[in-house]
């Protein structure tokens, strides 16, 4: 169980360690490999945060799933059973005709708010966590989203801090993990936004793809970031509107990470996963393996920090 990883104690250890997991789509499986190495080497994880794909893995770990259990689940999951498309070719034709014959609207204004409803994946999350809220996890957690109406960063967090030092941010402590994670994975244009209270929430990566700052405000002394975001690689496979949108989000996320997230992290682990294409279980295991290797490459630095 996740709590067991915290049995690692240095002499009179007082330093609290936080781990931040970034978004990264299907590449988020590399987080499992990173956590596996940290657990195997008794690196303490006192709190954890996550955005988008990172929010899924962070929530599972915070609820007691071991990295090996996560890996086993990935090998058995059927991705097509989690996708509920909202738009067919006929729907696109209908929206196109509506735009063509109504000059008052631009084409984009008649398209739906996303291609995937997200109900099936939300049901899957409920299967994992039932009615657990962010208060009910074994270790403190923070999950990020963004409110389209106010442009505020929304943190769904275990209430373990008093300061409110992050600008343009709001905090919610009683939200179910299912709702919080569903909000955090709402990639603009792909998933329907998540309606929560009076907010319309989208992927936390819009403003905070690697949520290291929230860990500092939750009391972490040492912050380890796992960044699966775009790292400047050339991408010549951009041929559709969706791919353009995703690439733009990746570029914005990279800039935010460079300007903000890195100043709060002591160590950043960057698995080499950007070219990984998820086709089958072997690819999933490859991604996890890349996470393991990247974590091993940073182990000596992590242990040096812990022994200071």
């Amino acid at each position: 169980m996740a709590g067991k990883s915290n049995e690692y104690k240095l002499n009179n250890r007082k330093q609290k360690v936080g781990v931040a997991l970034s978004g990264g789509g299907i590449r988020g499986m590399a987080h499992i490999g990173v956590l596996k190495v940290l657990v195997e080497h008794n690196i303490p994880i006192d709190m954890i945060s996550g955005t988008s794909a990172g929010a899924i893995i962070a929530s599972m770990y915070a609820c007691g799933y071991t990295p090996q259990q996560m890996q086993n689940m990935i090998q058995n999951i059927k991705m097509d059973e989690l996708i509920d498309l909202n738009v067919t070719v006929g729907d696109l034709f209908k929206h196109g005709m509506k735009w063509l014959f109504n000059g008052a609207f631009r084409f984009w204004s008649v398209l739906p708010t996303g291609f995937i409803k997200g109900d099936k994946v939300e049901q899957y999350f409920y299967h994992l966590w039932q009615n657990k809220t962010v208060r009910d996890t074994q270790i403190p957690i923070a999950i990020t989203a963004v409110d389209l109406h106010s442009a505020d960063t929304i943190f769904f967090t275990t209430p373990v801090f008093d300061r409110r030092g992050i600008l343009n941010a709001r905090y919610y402590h009683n939200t179910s993990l299912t709702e919080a994670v569903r909000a955090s994975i709402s990639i603009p244009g792909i998933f329907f936004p998540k309606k929560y209270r009076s907010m319309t929430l989208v992927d936390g990566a819009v403003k905070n793809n690697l949520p290291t700052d929230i860990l500092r405000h939750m009391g972490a002394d040492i912050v380890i970031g796992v960044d699966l975001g775009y790292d400047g690689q050339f991408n010549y496979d951009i041929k559709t509107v969706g791919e353009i949108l995703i690439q733009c989000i990746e570029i914005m996320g990279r800039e935010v990470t460079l300007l903000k997230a890195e100043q709060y992290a002591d160590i950043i682990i960057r698995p080499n996963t950007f070219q990984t294409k998820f086709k089958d279980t072997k690819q999933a295991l490859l991604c996890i393996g890349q996470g393991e290797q990247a974590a091993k490459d940073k182990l000596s630095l992590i242990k040096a920090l812990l022994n200071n």
Side-chain angles (χ1 to χ4, degrees):
M1 303 297 278
K4 292 183 179 179
S5 66
N6 294 315
E7 292 174 359
Y8 176 90
K9 299 291 181 183
L10 298 170
N11 293 331
N12 300 315
R13 183 175 79 86
K14 296 181 180 179
Q15 294 174 312
K16 292 184 179 180
V17 179
V19 175
L21 307 181
S22 80
I26 204 69
R27 291 175 283 120
M29 289 178 292
H31 291 314
I32 298 173
V34 173
L35 292 177
K36 182 185 290 188
V37 170
L38 297 182
V39 170
E40 288 174 351
H41 290 266
N42 297 316
I43 304 300
I45 301 177
D46 298 296
M47 60 191 71
I48 195 165
S49 65
T51 292
S52 199
I56 301 173
I57 304 301
S59 295
M60 293 181 72
Y61 185 82
C63 286
Y65 288 92
T66 66
Q68 186 59 54
Q69 287 174 323
M70 295 183 215
Q71 180 172 319
N72 293 342
M73 293 172 68
I74 289 296
Q75 291 179 264
N76 295 315
I77 199 169
K78 296 180 180 179
M79 298 300 295
D80 56 340
E81 294 181 358
L82 300 180
I83 304 299
D84 43 4
L85 290 175
N86 182 61
V87 179
T88 65
V89 173
D91 292 327
L92 292 175
F93 179 78
K94 179 182 67 176
H95 290 304
M97 290 299 99
K98 183 177 179 180
W99 164 72
L100 185 63
F101 292 106
N102 190 339
F105 294 94
R106 293 172 297 172
F107 177 65
W108 292 111
S109 68
V110 300
L111 286 177
T113 56
F115 291 103
I116 300 174
K117 294 179 183 178
D119 294 340
K120 288 185 177 180
V121 73
E122 191 162 342
Q123 290 170 7
Y124 182 74
F125 292 157
Y126 183 81
H127 169 73
L128 295 176
W129 305 307
Q130 300 296 312
N131 293 314
K132 282 189 173 68
T133 72
V134 290
R135 287 180 178 268
D136 301 324
T137 53
Q138 294 184 13
I139 59 173
I141 190 170
I143 296 169
T144 66
V146 174
D147 177 23
L148 284 177
H149 302 306
S150 65
D152 285 344
T153 301
I154 305 302
F155 289 109
F156 299 107
T157 75
T158 307
V160 296
F161 59 95
D162 297 319
R163 292 188 297 160
R164 295 292 186 268
I166 300 176
L167 293 176
N168 302 316
R170 283 180 279 155
Y171 306 82
Y172 294 86
H173 306 306
N174 296 301
T175 309
S176 72
L177 282 169
T178 294
E179 290 183 297
V181 176
R182 170 63 179 85
S184 189
I185 68 166
S186 300
I187 302 170
I190 306 299
F191 278 91
F192 271 34
K194 174 66 179 177
K195 298 291 185 180
Y196 181 74
R197 298 191 180 185
S198 60
M199 298 179 289
T200 299
L201 301 178
V202 296
D203 193 333
V206 171
K207 287 185 66 179
N208 197 344
N209 194 45
L210 184 59
T212 54
D213 51 354
I214 187 64
L215 293 175
R216 291 292 186 189
H217 292 286
M218 291 170 68
D221 303 296
I222 295 173
V223 173
I224 300 169
V226 186
D227 183 16
L228 302 179
Y230 178 62
D231 197 27
Q233 301 91 341
F234 282 91
N235 187 350
Y236 295 105
D237 296 324
I238 302 173
K239 302 174 182 177
T240 67
V241 171
E243 288 168 347
I244 291 172
L245 179 61
I246 295 299
Q247 181 70 355
C248 288
I249 293 172
E250 294 273 15
I251 292 169
M252 289 187 290
R254 181 193 184 206
E255 293 302 304
V256 173
T257 298
L258 290 174
L259 293 172
K260 181 180 180 182
E262 289 191 357
Q263 69 178 333
Y264 292 98
D266 296 288
I267 292 176
I268 294 185
I269 299 171
R270 288 193 170 94
N272 183 23
T273 61
F274 203 79
Q275 300 302 322
T276 301
K277 307 296 183 183
F278 183 78
K279 297 178 182 178
D280 51 34
T281 300
K282 290 182 180 179
Q283 291 295 312
L285 294 177
L286 174 62
C287 202
I288 292 171
Q290 289 168 328
E292 291 184 58
Q293 185 58 54
K296 289 176 181 177
D297 291 343
K298 297 285 187 177
L299 264 179
S300 59
L301 292 176
I302 295 171
K303 290 181 178 179
L305 272 176
L306 290 171
N307 283 290
N308 282 341

